[in-house]
Amino acid sequence: MMVMMDFKVVVLAGGVSKKLLPLVSKELPNALLPVANRPLLSYTLDLLELSNLKDLIVVVEGRDAAREVGSWISAAYADRLQVEVAAVPEDVGTAGAIRAISRYLTTAKDILVVSGDLVSDVPLGAVAATHRRHDAFVTAMLCSAPVSGSLDSGSSGGKDKTKKPGRYDLIGLDPTKQFLLHIATGAEVGKDLRVQKSILRAAGEIEIRADLMDAHLYAFKRSVLLEVLEQKGTFHSLKQDVLPYLVRSQLKSDVLLNGIPQAEENGNEKVISQSNQQMISQILANASEPTFHLRYALGPHGSSSARRTHKCCVYIAGSSKYCARLNSIQAYSDINRYVIGEASHLSGYSFSSHNNIIDPSAELGAKTTVGPHCMLGEGSQMGDKCSVKRSVIGRHCRIGANVKVVNSIVMNHVTIGDSCSIQGSVICSNVQLQERAVLKDCQVGAGFVVTAGSECKGEVLAKK
């Protein structure tokens, strides 16, 4: 744990994401969106606590959202974590958020930046150790790309939209799989990509991967990150601006150290075709050979006037670890399903012998069944002859008789009338479904009333 002592931790909790409407609102920002009946941010905070990282800055976009998040943290983590909640303007971007709180980041040697929408069990100490071992400028955590599809996959419901080509993170690694040579976020699979000749020549070869995801968990050298953000005032995103910039400039690092920006290489790129190899990678504990950075810095004849370089490293999570970002409605459904299923150890709950969780205060009617990989929250009541399969039902819900809920998430204080059918849908808090309503692949915003006998498929239902 000693390696973590002088890391400053910044959690970027976002605000109210348009991608998650109508599930989120000013009253329920991203960070508090329930995942298996727990606020999303609790998964990140618990992971940090397990890593003995208890002094945090949580950055929230918007004052209203920051107030809601701060109140919840004060109540839930009062005796466990020391958290300062900082409000930044909405839509400032991840780079802008760090810029806005830079006054808090003046002492630590390194900064650990964690996305508040991350649900993972990857040990953060391993990322920090990798960063320190290589004395890197930046270390990015990579994990297996989501099974459900590409990074921009849409919601499971909603009206049909024109299909776009799948977009993925395209990641270039050196032969040892320790160093990041190229990253293109949201790149279209099937097109060629450009890699700088100097990096390719120095590394010898590059492996292009489309099966890995940038988890948006980074260890940065503090002085470098703050200098880049100061020099590059237009940089908006850590993932799309800062990280690619550091990767491109790793063999001409004086651009970062003397404060004099240099023009980036022009016309010195090499086109290589994509290779979507499926393989499991583990980072090497120690490199026995000098890194390509050192060989390049010394030059072909071991010149004493070394060229400046810096290292951009990766930590690749093992295949047995769970890692996902909740940045779309599809991801929301997927993560809920995994946390009450294959990744149930993340839920923080003890599952019954039937592989489900039914709160002791919940009430079930006659001949009502709650199947495996289901959750029924505190104080909820279900009538007779109901069936729940692979679904999460929140707290203090009132569910009538002959109701079927399959592959769905029902939040808190929802009222469902008799003979309703809900499949593949997300029902927000305080919704009323009147009797015989049928929903398939829908999202229903908070407080909405679905009238009796309605049949909706692929709809987004929300108050105007």
Side-chain angles (χ1 to χ4, degrees), residues 17 19-21 23 33-36 40 43 117-119 145-157 213 322-340 392 409 411 424 426 443:
S17 172
K19 291 182 179 179
L20 293 173
L21 294 175
L23 310 189
L33 190 62
V35 174
L40 169 60
Y43 292 87
D117 64 10
L118 183 67
V119 178
V147 175
S148 61
S150 60
L151 299 177
D152 66 349
S153 57
S155 67
S156 57
M213 177 185 80
Y322 183 76
C323 179
R325 290 188 63 199
L326 201 162
N327 52 12
S328 69
I329 292 177
Q330 180 65 59
Y332 180 68
S333 298
D334 291 344
I335 291 171
N336 270 278
R337 185 173 65 250
Y338 272 92
V339 170
I340 60 172
V392 175
I409 298 110
M411 297 188 195
V426 180
Q443 295 101 48

Side-chain angles (χ1 to χ4, degrees), residues 56-223:
L56 323 171
I57 300 173
V58 174
V59 184
V60 184
E61 294 185 15
R63 292 192 178 277
D64 291 340
R67 194 178 303 112
E68 296 288 341
V69 173
S71 297
W72 168 74
I73 290 176
S74 296
Y77 290 89
D79 301 323
R80 297 164 56 186
L81 300 175
Q82 183 177 341
V83 181
E84 181 154 4
V85 177
V88 299
E90 295 178 15
D91 300 321
V92 72
T94 52
I98 299 294
R99 224 182 257 114
I101 63 158
S102 58
R103 65 187 182 278
Y104 299 111
L105 308 174
T106 57
T107 55
K109 178 182 177 182
D110 295 293
I111 300 171
L112 189 69
V113 180
V114 186
S115 179
D117 64 10
L118 183 67
V119 178
S120 177
D121 57 3
V122 178
L124 301 184
V127 181
T130 298
H131 184 70
R132 285 287 170 81
R133 185 170 67 246
H134 292 294
D135 191 28
F137 271 24
V138 61
T139 299
M141 187 174 92
L142 307 177
C143 55
S144 298
V147 175
S148 61
S150 60
L151 299 177
D152 66 349
S153 57
S155 67
S156 57
K159 293 184 181 297
D160 292 339
K161 299 180 178 68
T162 303
K163 288 190 177 181
K164 300 176 181 178
R167 292 182 180 273
Y168 297 76
D169 289 339
L170 293 182
I171 293 166
L173 303 176
D174 80 308
T176 71
K177 299 179 179 61
Q178 296 180 97
F179 301 107
L180 188 59
L181 307 184
H182 177 83
I183 184 164
T185 61
E188 244 182 73
V189 171
K191 289 190 174 180
D192 290 341
L193 66 147
R194 296 181 179 275
V195 179
Q196 288 173 297
K197 277 184 179 179
S198 58
I199 292 177
L200 183 56
R201 189 181 297 117
E205 61 182 83
I206 183 172
E207 179 184 2
I208 301 296
R209 301 283 292 270
D211 61 330
L212 294 173
M213 177 185 80
D214 177 353
H216 212 288
L217 191 154
Y218 310 115
F220 284 104
K221 189 166 285 189
R222 178 191 59 82
S223 58

Side-chain angles (χ1 to χ4, degrees), residues 225-272:
L225 177 59
L226 297 186
E227 185 175 342
V228 169
L229 292 177
E230 182 180 356
Q231 290 182 8
K232 303 290 184 180
T234 60
F235 279 5
H236 185 77
S237 166
L238 295 177
K239 178 176 179 176
Q240 296 180 355
D241 296 318
V242 175
L243 183 59
Y245 174 71
L246 289 174
V247 171
R248 290 194 304 269
S249 61
Q250 61 188 300
L251 297 185
K252 47 189 177 64
S253 192
D254 54 333
V255 71
L256 303 172
L257 299 178
N258 60 17
I260 304 174
Q262 297 180 359
E264 295 183 7
E265 293 181 30
N266 188 18
N268 191 27
E269 299 175 328
K270 188 166 186 174
V271 177
I272 52 180

Side-chain angles (χ1 to χ4, degrees), residues 358-423:
I358 301 176
D359 190 273
S361 63
E363 298 179 14
L364 301 182
K367 297 183 179 179
T368 286
T369 59
V370 178
H373 308 309
C374 288
M375 180 175 286
L376 182 61
E378 173 189 354
S380 287
Q381 299 176 356
M382 301 189 70
D384 297 340
K385 298 181 180 179
C386 293
S387 172
V388 182
K389 297 179 180 178
R390 299 179 299 280
S391 296
V392 175
I393 295 177
R395 298 176 175 87
H396 305 292
C397 294
R398 298 291 179 266
I399 300 174
N402 297 298
V403 172
K404 292 180 172 56
V405 183
V406 181
N407 287 329
S408 295
I409 298 110
V410 178
M411 297 188 195
N412 302 325
H413 300 282
V414 173
T415 301
I416 302 176
D418 293 346
S419 302
C420 287
S421 175
I422 304 166
Q423 183 174 341

